[in-house]
Structures are given as structure tokens and as C-alpha cells.
Amino acid sequence: MRTIDLLKSKGVSPSQQRIQILEYLLKNKIHPSVDTIFQNLVNQIPTLSKTTVYNTLALLREKQLIQVIIDNNEIRYDADTEFHGHFKCLECGAIYDFPISEIKIDISSIENFQISEKHIYYTGICALCIKKKGDENGNKT
Amino acid sequence: MRTIDLLKSKGVSPSQQRIQILEYLLKNKIHPSVDTIFQNLVNQIPTLSKTTVYNTLALLREKQLIQVIIDNNEIRYDADTEFHGHFKCLECGAIYDFPISEIKIDISSIENFQISEKHIYYTGICALCIKKKGDENGNKT
DNA sequence: TCCTCATTTTGTAATCATTACAAATTTATA
DNA sequence: TATAAATTTGTAATGATTACAAAATGAGGA
Ligand SMILES: [Mn+2]
Ligand SMILES: [Mn+2]
Ligand SMILES: [Zn+2]
Ligand SMILES: [Zn+2]
């Protein structure tokens, strides 16, 4: 489905800014921050305002076209709304996806609760950064 | 174990501020924010500075005496460092615990990653707030 | 085509949690 | 007690997010 139709299907009128922001998220699965999105689109839309990025992301989230990743310092965004886990590398800042097939919880403590969002968020150091560190230590020239 | 000994066991010198902050977290399992902690302790320690609360919490976290709950607006703290899930009520702001016995993930995508923290964070509306809402609608006087 | 009104976008100022930092205080040690 | 190290404090700075009102856009009707 084209981005325009995706927006229309949720009753959102497809302005240039909205199309571009959603398209950026659909094409760049890097869980970008508001600032990353802004920096990458301001070339194509020179008049773009950061407020528009914030407003649009809030709207897209409301319409469940994107999800938000709770992060320590800044919020990051994801056009993949299927349930999956996220791993944030504390070294390079990258956020990786990982699939989750099942969670066993004793729901007795949150029985009758109405759940709207589920976040699985790991932190640590990614394989690339571990390797990089190893190389640095190995190369005692 | 007394709070003082708990601190000593991690090599942290037990100042009055540190004792009180950790003790507060141990006795009040409400996942308080920095501000809640500060407001509740400033009576006992009138000279207490919010910076000290921040510094102490960062130290206690480093020493793994407490864990941090990633939240949308503000960071919340938990002296229970055992792995468990958190549910935040979007209505009243309360954070509930729930036990997790097992998570099945396909680790192939994050193989060789070094994991340091695992967060399971749900949001929604708690049973109390659902009931409250129902009562309000039912009481059409 | 031009006008009008609703929607959307923009820019700036305000907010608010967190951090930086240097001075003041407390604590440990000799 | 004297001295140095560790800790705490208060204030200023930072930085992401939000509020808000003016400017731009765009669809529909005369
Ligand atoms: Mn993702
Ligand atoms: Mn907890
Ligand atoms: Zn990395
Ligand atoms: Zn509630």
C-alpha cells in the first residue's frame, strides 16, 4: 500500500510533511529520534519545522501507524507496529529488533488491567561494539 | 541486613543521605520518582539537595542496589533488583509489579550481544481506575 | 477565477527533568 | 588539632518536549 493510502485508511489527510515523515520511517528501520528524522528530511523540505515532526509523530502514534520506543534520553520511533523486542547498544546507540514468541507471566497481579502497550527493552553492548573493543585491545602496536 | 551494611557490602560509605534514600526505597515499594523521594525526605533532612538525590540514585544504580524504570516523562526507581515486569497506569500514574517466569526469544538476532538490563514495561489502565470510571458512568444521578 | 474558512505548518518562547560545576560542609586520618 | 579527601549543596546550564499564535496551504463554493 502506498504511504498516501496508508494515511487515508486511518482518516489522516496526507500532507507532504506527513507523507515524508511516515515514508522515512517505513524505509529507514533504524528507530530514529525526532532529531534524526528532522535532519534527514529538512533537505527535501527546507521549511520543515521540528514542531511539525513532533506533531506528526504524535498523530501517527495515535492512529497506530507507528510505535514509540521508550528510551532513557530521547524517544525513538518505529513504523513496525508488530510486537517485538528492542535492544539498545549503550556504546553506539543503535537499537536492534528481536522477535519474541512468548512471555509467561502470572497475570494474577494485573488481572482486569487494560493493557495498551507492551515494551520489551534490553540494553547492553552489541556484537559490533564488542568486536571493535576486542580489536582495539588486541592491537597493542 | 541493615541498610548501612547493605551499603558497606558494596563499598559505599554510608552517609546519612545515602542511608535515608536507600531506606526510603526499601520501605516504599511504589517506584517513586526523584521528586517523590526528595519531597518525602526533605522533612527529615531539611538541607537535602535534589542534586544529592540524583547523585545518590546514580551511585546506587551503579552498585546494583537499585534498578531504574524507564518511563515516558520521568525516571522512576525500584529497590527490588530481581527481574520482574512493570505496568504503568496512564490514568493514575501508579506503577505495578508483575512476575515473569519465562520469555521465549529467537536470540539469533542478538547473539553474542552483552545484555546488561532487561525491562518489561506495559502501559494501560489499572483495575482501580477502570472501576472508578465505571462507577462514574453508572451514577447518572 | 477569486473568496472564504478550516486545516496544517511554522517559529519562538516556555516548561521541566536532568546535569554540570564550583563552593561549602562533613568525614577520615595522622 | 591539622590536613586532605569525600560528600553535599545551590545555582546555572542543558536539552528534549510542549504551548501557542501567526503564517501558509488547500478545498469548496460563488
Ligand atoms: Mn523495532
Ligand atoms: Mn518493581
Ligand atoms: Zn553498538
Ligand atoms: Zn490507575
Side-chain angles (χ1 to χ4, degrees), chain A residues 29-31 67 69 77-82 84-86 95-98:
Chain A
K29 309 258 169 176
I30 56 172
H31 312 98
Q67 69 163 313
I69 300 169
Y77 297 86
D78 192 348
D80 181 357
T81 54
E82 291 300 308
H84 61 279
H86 289 116
I95 292 182
Y96 295 81
D97 290 320
F98 60 84

Side-chain angles (χ1 to χ4, degrees), chain B residues 36-98:
Chain B
T36 302
I37 297 168
F38 175 78
Q39 294 302 338
N40 279 281
L41 290 181
V42 77
N43 304 310
Q44 299 158 56
I45 315 172
T47 61
L48 183 64
S49 162
K50 205 171 271 186
T51 301
T52 301
V53 181
Y54 275 106
N55 289 339
T56 302
L57 290 169
L59 179 67
L60 296 179
R61 179 191 193 180
E62 210 178 286
K63 301 297 181 182
Q64 315 220 38
L65 285 166
I66 62 172
Q67 68 163 313
V68 161
I69 300 168
I70 313 295
D71 196 49
N72 231 338
N73 310 312
E74 55 183 3
I75 298 176
R76 314 251 310 231
Y77 297 86
D78 191 349
D80 180 357
T81 54
E82 291 299 308
F83 178 58
H84 61 279
H86 289 115
F87 176 97
K88 170 160 188 187
C89 178
L90 302 171
E91 200 73 19
C92 64
I95 292 182
Y96 295 81
D97 290 320
F98 60 84

Side-chain angles (χ1 to χ4, degrees), chain A residues 87-96 124-130 132, chain B residues 113:
Chain A
F87 176 97
K88 172 161 185 185
C89 177
L90 301 171
E91 200 74 20
C92 65
I95 292 182
Y96 295 81
I125 304 178
C126 77
L128 287 177
C129 288
I130 292 171
K132 201 182 293 172
Chain B
F113 283 35

Side-chain angles (χ1 to χ4, degrees), chain A residues 13 15 17-18 47-49 51-52:
Chain A
S13 49
S15 69
Q17 287 84 343
R18 288 168 179 172
T47 61
L48 185 64
S49 162
T51 302
T52 300

Side-chain angles (χ1 to χ4, degrees), chain B residues 9-37:
Chain B
S9 74
K10 297 281 184 174
V12 178
S13 49
S15 69
Q16 267 312 307
Q17 287 85 341
R18 288 168 180 172
I19 295 167
Q20 299 262 43
I21 290 169
L22 180 52
E23 208 143 72
Y24 179 82
L25 283 166
L26 288 166
K27 287 182 180 164
N28 303 85
K29 308 255 169 180
I30 56 172
H31 312 98
S33 66
V34 164
D35 206 60
T36 302
I37 297 168

